[in-house]
Amino acid sequence: MTNTHPLPDWNTLATLGDDELPLLDTALLIARDEYPDLDAAGYAAQVDTYAAALRPQLEQDIDLPARLTAINRYLFEEIGFAGNNVQYDDPRNSYLNEVVDRKLGIPISLAVIQMEVTRRLGMPLDGVSFPGHFLVRLPVDDGILVLDPYNKGRPVSADELRERASPHLGGQSPDDQQLLQILAPATHRMILMRMLRNLKGLYLERGDWERVARSADRLLKLSPDTAEALRDRGLAYREMGYAKGAREDLARYLQLLPEAEDLDAVRTALIELGSGGARLN
C-alpha cells in the first residue's frame, strides 16, 4: 500500500529551523522506530477528526475561556485522554500512536495532542518545557494562560507555578521575571528532544542498550552536538560491543565538554575500549 502520509527523513531534520520541524509528524517518526508498521496517515487523520468534531462548537460567538473549556471537555472527558498515573514509566506513554490508541500518556505526549488539535482550530497553543512537568500556554489579553494537559487541561495559577518550580530552583520561589523565563514557549525541537530524553532515560533504567543507543542517535539527528546524547550512545555502544562507535562518541563528548563532571569515568571507559576491553562487533 502506498504511504499517503510520508514522514520526514531523519537525516534532514538538523537542517530545519527549530519550529520548522513538523511536531506531529516528527513525533510519529519517533514512534515508527518502535512500531515499523505504524500507519502515519491514520494517526494524522485521527487528530484532524478531533479538530473537525470540535469545530462546530467553536464557530459560535463564544469567549476564549468557553472555547478552552469545550476543547478540554471533548479531549479529556468525551474522548478520554488521561495521564497514566498507574504506569507513568511505561514507554508507550511517549509513543504518539500508543497515546492515541490507549488514551493514556505523560504530560508532554498529552500536550502534543492538545496542541495539535487546538492549533487546527486557530488557537496558538504552545508547549512550556516546565521543570519536572510539561505544560502548555496560550496568550490572552492580559498575559498568558497556562494549562496542565496531564490534569485534564486545567488552568494553573501563578502561585501554583511558583510552588511547582521551587524544588527545581534550590527551594527558591521564582520572581515574576524568572517565572516568565521558565514559561517561555518551547520550540518544536525542544519538545521533540525532551520526548526522546524521556525515552532514553526509561531505557537507561532498564539497561535496554539498543533502545538507549537509538534514542540517543535520534537526539543527535535533531541536534548533532548534544553532548549527553553522544556520551549515552557511546556507553550504549560499549555495552553492545560496538567498540569503534563507542570510542568515537566518547572522544567527541570529551571534546565538547573537556571539564565534564564525569570526565574520569568517561576517560576510563575510553582507556578500556582502547585496550580491547570491549567486545568487538
Side-chain angles (χ1 to χ4, degrees):
M1 186 176 71
T2 303
N3 187 353
T4 58
H5 190 89
L7 294 178
D9 179 347
W10 278 114
N11 294 318
T12 67
L13 296 182
T15 66
L16 298 178
D18 288 349
D19 279 322
E20 290 176 346
L21 288 163
L23 182 60
L24 178 66
D25 284 356
T26 311
L28 289 171
L29 189 64
I30 292 169
R32 195 176 65 184
D33 279 338
E34 187 68 16
Y35 303 90
D37 297 327
L38 178 142
D39 176 13
Y43 289 105
Q46 186 62 67
V47 174
D48 289 338
T49 299
Y50 296 149
L54 276 162
R55 196 166 283 113
Q57 302 178 47
L58 305 183
E59 285 174 350
Q60 307 159 28
D61 187 19
I62 57 176
D63 60 16
L64 180 62
R67 291 167 70 87
L68 282 172
T69 299
I71 292 169
N72 287 339
R73 183 173 59 238
Y74 176 77
L75 288 176
F76 300 111
E77 294 179 22
E78 291 184 40
I79 300 298
F81 282 103
N84 192 345
N85 294 312
V86 177
Q87 292 180 299
Y88 191 90
D89 291 338
D90 188 330
R92 291 178 294 178
N93 297 328
S94 292
Y95 291 120
L96 225 61
N97 59 320
E98 290 280 8
V99 176
V100 171
D101 289 346
R102 301 166 72 230
K103 306 297 182 288
L104 288 172
I106 55 175
I108 194 166
S109 56
L110 294 170
V112 170
I113 297 291
Q114 190 184 22
M115 288 165 62
E116 286 291 323
V117 171
T118 306
R119 287 174 173 182
R120 281 163 171 73
L121 297 166
M123 299 172 67
L125 197 67
D126 284 318
V128 176
S129 207
F130 203 79
H133 189 130
F134 200 86
L135 300 169
V136 296
R137 53 170 274 166
L138 187 72
V140 293
D141 290 342
D142 55 350
I144 55 173
L145 181 62
V146 180
L147 308 169
D148 185 352
Y150 193 70
N151 289 295
K152 298 188 175 183
R154 71 171 180 82
V156 188
S157 70
D159 286 344
E160 184 180 345
L161 289 167
R162 288 190 175 89
E163 187 179 332
R164 288 191 188 192
S166 176
H168 303 278
L169 300 172
Q172 298 295 312
S173 179
D175 60 27
D176 289 349
Q177 185 177 0
Q178 286 175 308
L179 188 59
L180 279 173
Q181 289 175 343
I182 294 170
L183 293 172
T187 66
H188 290 180
R189 193 179 308 276
M190 290 167 63
I191 295 169
L192 295 160
M193 290 183 72
R194 183 159 169 165
M195 293 179 80
L196 285 164
R197 284 192 174 102
N198 287 343
L199 283 166
K200 178 164 64 68
L202 292 175
Y203 292 133
L204 269 168
E205 289 174 7
R206 299 170 180 216
D208 187 339
W209 298 110
E210 287 191 16
R211 287 180 171 85
V212 170
R214 184 182 73 196
S215 302
D217 180 75
R218 295 326 196 186
L219 276 163
L220 292 163
K221 294 292 190 188
L222 290 172
S223 182
D225 286 334
T226 303
E228 120 268 344
L230 279 163
R231 178 198 62 203
D232 291 343
R233 188 175 68 177
L235 294 174
Y237 282 165
R238 181 183 65 167
E239 295 295 328
M240 294 161 62
Y242 179 29
K244 178 177 182 292
R247 283 195 298 267
E248 289 174 356
D249 280 355
L250 296 178
R252 177 71 178 139
Y253 171 71
L254 293 182
Q255 280 184 339
L256 290 171
L257 290 181
E259 298 181 10
E261 290 184 3
D262 54 359
L263 177 66
D264 290 341
V266 173
R267 276 180 171 167
T268 299
L270 270 171
I271 291 168
E272 292 174 355
L273 286 161
S275 60
R279 302 179 308 279
L280 290 178
N281 186 352

